[in-house]
Structure formats: structure tokens, C-alpha cells
Amino acid sequence: MNESRINRKIKSLQIKNVNNHEESEYHFHEHLNLIVGSSENGKSASVRALVFALYNQYNGDLVNWDEKFAQVTIEFVDGAIIKRRSEEHTSELQS
């Protein structure tokens, strides 16, 4: 059985106003990537941002308290881009 699958690797992740991230950007290596840091540095927030962008799943605490929106952009190595923005506990997919 020959199945055709999309095998996308993430090239970069941009996070704006998600929890304690004002503006953060990750550039991923082709193989293994680790996100490390001490407590309260935004590791879990980075994962929440990734889940939000990919699956539109988040809790009401996604947006930084001082901001009106959160935005997450994922760029894949094949050039595809997902940009998702949440405002006041709503979200929309921007293409």
C-alpha cells in the first residue's frame, strides 16, 4: 500500500503576546530540538502557542494580561505558513 502523506517539518515559530512572551521566535534544526530553561521562562507557553496554532486549542489564559490579542505563526520547511490570532477569547485562522 503506497500512501501519500504530508511530512512537514517546522522551520520557525513566532509567538507574540502569549503568556509571558512579548515577542519570541524559534528557528528549528532539521533533526532534534530542545526547549530548556528555568521555571517561568515560557517553555510551557511555547508549547501552548504551538498547540493553539496547529489545532486551535487553548484555554482562556493564552493572551498576555497586558495585551488585547495573541498571535502565533508557524513556518514549515516547504514554505507553508499557519498564522493564528486570538482576540478576547476568540480565534480566527488567517491564511
Side-chain angles (χ1 to χ4, degrees):
M1 179 184 212
N2 186 7
E3 291 184 21
S4 177
R5 291 192 210 181
I6 296 175
N7 185 7
R8 289 195 170 150
K9 293 183 180 181
I10 297 174
K11 179 179 178 181
S12 66
L13 172 66
Q14 297 174 341
I15 303 170
K16 184 170 185 166
N17 300 332
V18 173
N19 299 135
N20 58 343
H21 290 275
E22 289 180 21
E23 285 196 42
S24 298
E25 187 166 354
Y26 295 95
H27 294 277
F28 295 102
H29 186 270
E30 181 181 350
H31 300 289
L32 179 66
N33 296 276
L34 301 173
I35 299 174
V36 296
S38 59
S39 295
E40 302 299 321
N41 268 340
K43 298 177 302 293
S44 295
S46 298
V47 173
R48 281 192 294 276
L50 187 61
V51 169
F52 168 62
L54 290 173
Y55 304 108
N56 194 27
Q57 296 178 354
Y58 69 99
N59 61 25
D61 296 335
L62 184 72
V63 180
N64 183 310
W65 287 102
D66 298 332
E67 303 296 337
K68 296 183 186 249
F69 72 94
Q71 183 170 297
V72 181
T73 304
I74 300 173
E75 181 180 0
F76 296 91
V77 294
D78 67 358
I81 295 174
I82 295 175
K83 182 184 279 188
R84 198 172 297 272
R85 181 179 172 112
S86 174
E87 296 184 45
E88 299 178 336
H89 306 292
T90 63
S91 70
E92 65 181 64
L93 179 63
Q94 300 176 351
S95 49

